[in-house]
Amino acid sequence: MGELSIKIRIAEREYPMRVKEEEEERLRVVGKLLNERLRFYKDQFSIQDKQDLLAMVAFETMVEKLKLEDEKAAHISKVGQQLNVLDDLLSSTNK
């Protein structure tokens, strides 16, 4: 698969990009989601300054990212514990 030249519009500005074909749809969805969150903060909190809007969306995004990383770490730990229990059970049956 090759690369495409696309333009993503965020906060009423266009950003030209060269992307892999398989990434195009994901990037367009991200652009749409960003614009939706910008609109949410603009409407909900009457924020007009684009830099403030972008900062709020960036902040919200990082909070969500850290939350997901914590959840992922907890799941990995739990799976590790369950694997240890299974390993102990299997070891005890081989004795």
Side-chain angles (χ1 to χ4, degrees), residues 56 67 72 80 85 89 92:
M56 291 300 295
K67 179 181 167 190
K72 178 182 174 184
V85 167
L89 286 171
S92 68

Side-chain angles (χ1 to χ4, degrees), residues 1-64:
M1 297 210 165
E3 285 193 344
L4 300 172
S5 291
I6 64 171
K7 291 181 183 177
I8 301 291
R9 190 169 185 84
I10 302 169
E12 299 176 15
R13 290 184 70 177
E14 283 192 349
Y15 296 90
M17 301 178 184
R18 292 201 50 80
V19 301
K20 294 178 183 175
E21 286 182 47
E22 61 269 16
E23 290 293 316
E24 178 191 12
E25 184 178 348
R26 176 177 290 135
L27 293 175
R28 291 195 185 279
V29 167
V30 167
K32 181 181 177 190
L33 291 171
L34 284 172
N35 286 315
E36 287 173 1
R37 295 311 295 163
L38 290 166
R39 197 172 315 114
F40 168 79
Y41 281 107
K42 183 178 181 180
D43 294 345
Q44 205 66 24
F45 303 105
S46 299
I47 301 172
Q48 298 301 316
D49 183 75
K50 287 188 179 26
Q51 185 172 348
D52 289 341
L53 290 167
L54 289 166
M56 291 300 295
V57 172
F59 183 79
E60 174 188 55
T61 301
M62 289 306 297
V63 168
E64 185 64 25

